């Protein structure tokens, strides 16, 4: 009896963990056509899965509330790191890398796969 209850509780917790996953987690199609994976706990790592820089981690974001995220983004071509921010809207993620305190930003939109 105890074993059945333990298995049921474990299964429920596993399913609940998947249900509470942050909506930013998953695979995204970048504006240039590569696939990037976003995952993690408190900080979400951004890792390229396809393309010339596959396997390279290009950023880290933390939830800032109201479907917004903040952290750092690295340009894989130059290895320069910028203040990063992202805004989630449905299945679109607007990514921005900024310099000079957000005065100059470069943005692109990614789409959830």
């Amino acid at each position: 009896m105890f074993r059945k209850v333990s298995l049921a509780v474990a299964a429920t917790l596993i399913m609940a963990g998947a249900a509470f996953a942050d909506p930013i987690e998953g695979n995204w199609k970048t504006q240039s056509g590569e696939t990037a994976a976003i995952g993690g706990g408190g900080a979400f790592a951004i890792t390229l899965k396809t393309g010339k820089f596959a396997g390279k981690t290009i950023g880290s974001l933390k939830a800032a509330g109201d479907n917004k995220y903040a952290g750092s983004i690295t340009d894989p071509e130059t290895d320069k790191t910028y203040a990063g921010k992202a805004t989630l809207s449905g299945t679109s993620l607007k990514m921005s890398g900024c310099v000079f305190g957000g005065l100059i930003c470069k943005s692109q939109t990614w789409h959830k796969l």
Side-chain angles (χ1 to χ4, degrees), residues 2-98:
F2 179 73
R3 183 174 181 196
K4 287 182 183 180
V5 171
S6 296
L7 289 173
V9 169
T12 302
L13 290 175
I14 289 170
M15 287 188 274
F20 292 119
D22 197 285
I24 197 173
E25 291 183 296
N27 292 320
W28 295 84
K29 180 70 75 176
T30 69
Q31 193 164 306
S32 60
E34 285 88 15
T35 300
I38 300 178
F44 299 98
I46 306 166
T47 305
L48 292 173
K49 293 180 71 175
T50 63
K52 182 178 175 182
F53 300 101
K56 187 170 190 168
T57 299
I58 61 164
S60 177
L61 298 170
K62 288 187 178 184
D66 198 28
N67 290 328
K68 295 180 191 263
Y69 300 82
S72 62
I73 303 290
T74 300
D75 180 344
E77 195 75 44
T78 63
D79 273 336
K80 291 185 179 178
T81 300
Y82 303 94
K85 58 185 177 180
T87 303
L88 183 64
S89 178
T91 59
S92 295
L93 184 66
K94 182 177 179 186
M95 302 285 290
S96 299
C98 304

